Amino acid sequence: MEKPSKGTGLYFLIFAIVMLGLLYFGNSYFTQGESISNQEFVSILDSDDIHSITVSQNKEVPTGVVVVTLKNGQYKKINVSDVNETEKLLKEKFPSYKVEDVKRDSVFLQYLLPVIVMGVILFLIFSIMGNQGGGANAKMMNFGKSLAKLSTEDNKIRFDDVAGLKEEKEDLMEIVDFLKNPAKYIEVGARIPKGVILVGPPGTGKTLIAKAVAGEANVPFFSASGSEFVEMFVGVGASRVRDLFEEAKKNAPCIVFIDEIDAVGRKRGSGMGGGHDEREQTLNQLLIEMDGFGVNEGIIVLAATNRVDILDPAILRPGRFDRKVMVGTPDVEGRRQILKVHSKNKPLADDVDLDEVARTTAGFTGADLENLMNESAISAAKENRKFINANDVKESFLKVGVGTEKKSKIVSDKEKRITAYHEAGHAILFHVLEDMDPVYTVSIIPTGMGAAGYTMPLPESDEMFNTKGKMKHEIMVSLGGRIAESIVFDDITTGASSDIKKATSTAKKMITRYGMSDEVGVICYDDDEEVFIGRDFGHTRSYSENVAAKIDSEIKAIIDECYKEAEKIIIEHRDVLDRVAELLIEKEKIGREEFEACFGNISQNESM
Ligand code: ADP
Ligand code: MG
Ligand code: ZN
């Protein structure tokens, strides 16, 4: 497949500018200075302001240009129809004039160049308009061609090459199976998803697993990156998308992989300083293409992003990317397996303990681990050793882990302990409080987005209303992390700031929006739906200082009450807290069963 260079359009533009420049300077010979009339010329000749005079003439024609340089530095110029006449006059009035022979413009400069320049300009204009309208013109533009890379023969990646990511592979297995045996699904009328979006921090293996899907199913793999679609010319992105899908349809069944989909899929109209037309067009085209091919046509679009929150909701609608697969940073076990994969062809000395390496690399992604093993191999090779020893790994660990931006990724044992107790605190309250959903996972793996860990509930009920009791329970859960920290350690950390913010905002809503405080009354003091950070600046409150003070004291009262109740529960479950925290320190991520087992024979959901 031909692969046009990325900046083709740019080269055209530069070419046009250079040509225009040539044209301009080519003629400017004659155009310097202010044009004057014949009378003015004569009167200047009679004055003694003249510094010098140059007569420019082309020998083949009688016409010429006389340029007069005045003593004050100004230029005056006059076009004359007969240079001989002028020379006669000058010999009389200003005999020290100079004659300059100007070569006639070459045919190229005079006739061909303007034609070429016009051609280029017209070509550009047409191509831009053609693409905008989505017309057939787009096809002749090779810079509208898709940059998608096609790989079939060289794609030998299988699920076995993707270590860990067990659940992710299970989710994608269905797609592999469909690509292999479409008839089976079509017969029973099943609708296979058209699009699956892989969400996770960079380096966690999204691209790798997408390739593995194609490899397992043995179908072509087309890949393109969202950022490639956002080019400088409006419409190029859209035309590339069109092209990519055209190619895919010819090769179905196949996988189309769009990396960095957030580059095109950002919420529309949310760009800085107005919308980004180009991006929106590309996104629209992508949605059109996805709606365009039928269900079970054999094209499955996989996309990757690390920011699902900024995506346009239209992308996630049914029939488009309606499946989401979270690709997380690996836990200890995952890291151990990834290390195994990446040390397959690397002989290790006896003193290298991959289990230990796995334990000490919390927060490392698959890419980091691959890098770690590679650096270790390089360090061994430098010393002409045929195997990697523990020292190589240690040194590379410092290199990879302490590399500028990855600094935050190294989690000390102390931090790990604190995070474990913090999350255990949240989790216990989730479990004990009746109104809250059961815990699905608890993790102390850094998310790569600023959080040290997370506790995720399994939403069981889809309730329409929030009750006062439930909102209080939510506040208690939010405070749980901080409470556990303060019970177990003498000190408290800054790690709970977002929890505190959440608790405060829930309490505030209870009072100012839902009228749940007797003190303040059933009055809505806050009718804005969205709460933007910093919106309060210059936002005039519609209530008095007096009411504001009351609201603040009520917020504090609710939070204090919740804190006390939550603290009581955690103290009562101190043994569970220790067990959960220990388990988290060991495994980093635990599921519902493991978590609930920590409660032992203490009956669950016993009341507060
Ligand atoms: P992403 O697309 O999520 O940014 P990649 O798939 O490009 O990450 O991963 C980069 C590299 O890291 C891969 O080529 C591979 O060598 C390594 N890697 C990442 N995750 C894994 C994994 N689960 N198993 C094996 N190798 C992995
Ligand atoms: Mg990638
Ligand atoms: Zn927390």
Side-chain angles (χ1 to χ4, degrees), residues 11 90 149 233 256 314 327 345 347 372 380 462 490 509 538 540 563 579:
Y11 292 135
L90 284 174
K149 291 156 223 97
F233 289 110
V256 173
V327 182
N345 303 318
L372 176 73
D462 210 0
D490 296 335
K509 264 190 251 166
T540 38
Y563 192 99
R579 257 176 275 161

Side-chain angles (χ1 to χ4, degrees), residues 51-123:
H51 175 260
S52 63
I53 293 181
T54 311
V55 179
S56 302
Q57 187 203 13
N58 180 273
K59 286 275 153 57
E60 293 163 37
V61 287
T63 54
V65 178
V66 179
V67 176
V68 183
T69 309
L70 298 183
K71 282 183 180 148
N72 65 9
Q74 278 183 338
Y75 295 102
K76 304 277 177 194
K77 102 183 166 191
I78 178 165
N79 294 317
V80 291
S81 53
D82 188 345
V83 173
N84 292 336
E85 286 285 314
T86 313
E87 282 195 75
K88 264 186 223 154
L89 186 69
L90 284 174
K91 270 181 192 134
E92 189 183 309
K93 306 245 173 176
F94 194 87
S96 64
Y97 74 95
K98 280 179 287 193
V99 179
E100 196 181 70
D101 184 35
V102 178
K103 271 200 212 90
R104 195 179 177 148
D105 284 354
S106 69
V107 176
F108 175 71
L109 229 57
Q110 224 174 1
Y111 299 107
L112 276 177
L113 190 69
V115 171
I116 291 173
V117 170
M118 277 314 285
V120 168
I121 291 171
L122 281 178
F123 178 73

Side-chain angles (χ1 to χ4, degrees), residues 554-571:
E554 279 291 277
I555 292 176
K556 188 170 182 302
I558 290 182
I559 302 249
D560 284 351
E561 188 194 329
C562 290
Y563 192 99
K564 276 207 201 85
E565 278 181 36
E567 191 175 43
K568 199 171 136 241
I569 295 173
I570 294 182
I571 290 174

Side-chain angles (χ1 to χ4, degrees), residues 161-163 165 201-208 338 341-342 366-367 370:
D161 301 301
V162 185
L165 304 183
T204 45
K206 298 182 293 298
T207 308
L208 189 71
I338 294 171
V341 165
H342 289 289
E370 192 269 338

Side-chain angles (χ1 to χ4, degrees), residues 27-60:
N27 285 340
S28 72
Y29 236 126
F30 298 100
T31 54
Q32 188 182 45
E34 181 201 340
S35 287
I36 49 173
S37 67
N38 209 28
Q39 279 132 322
E40 279 176 278
F41 179 56
V42 174
S43 72
I44 287 176
L45 284 182
D46 287 333
S47 73
D48 52 0
D49 296 340
I50 300 171
H51 175 260
S52 63
I53 293 181
T54 311
V55 179
S56 302
Q57 187 203 13
N58 180 273
K59 286 275 153 57
E60 293 163 37

Side-chain angles (χ1 to χ4, degrees), residues 409-421:
K409 283 195 179 167
I410 295 185
V411 185
S412 73
D413 284 349
K414 191 178 163 216
E415 282 167 324
K416 218 169 165 177
R417 244 176 91 76
I418 294 173
T419 311
Y421 272 99

Side-chain angles (χ1 to χ4, degrees), residues 327-446:
V327 182
T329 318
D331 61 4
V332 192
E333 181 53 27
R335 292 199 298 271
R336 206 177 56 80
Q337 290 175 15
I338 294 171
L339 283 167
K340 249 175 149 178
V341 165
H342 289 289
S343 54
K344 221 185 250 163
N345 303 318
K346 301 183 177 76
L348 302 177
D350 289 344
D351 61 350
V352 179
D353 179 359
L354 288 185
D355 286 349
E356 200 206 320
V357 178
R359 256 180 276 121
T360 50
T361 44
F364 273 46
T365 61
D368 293 332
L369 294 169
E370 192 269 338
N371 195 2
L372 176 73
M373 290 320 289
N374 189 45
E375 286 288 341
S376 304
I378 290 173
S379 136
K382 264 190 197 151
E383 291 176 24
N384 299 319
R385 254 184 291 109
K386 292 235 177 334
F387 51 85
I388 294 168
N389 67 24
N391 199 42
D392 296 327
V393 180
K394 201 174 127 203
E395 273 173 18
S396 310
F397 174 78
L398 292 175
K399 219 167 170 182
V400 175
V402 189
T404 47
E405 53 177 338
K406 304 246 172 69
K407 217 172 216 156
S408 59
K409 283 195 179 167
I410 295 185
V411 185
S412 73
D413 284 349
K414 191 178 163 216
E415 282 167 324
K416 218 169 165 177
R417 244 176 91 76
I418 294 173
T419 311
Y421 272 99
H422 179 107
E423 294 305 328
H426 285 307
I428 286 174
L429 289 169
F430 259 120
H431 183 80
V432 172
L433 295 173
E434 279 167 41
D435 282 345
M436 306 308 291
D437 295 321
V439 169
Y440 181 61
T441 18
V442 190
S443 155
I444 57 165
I445 304 169

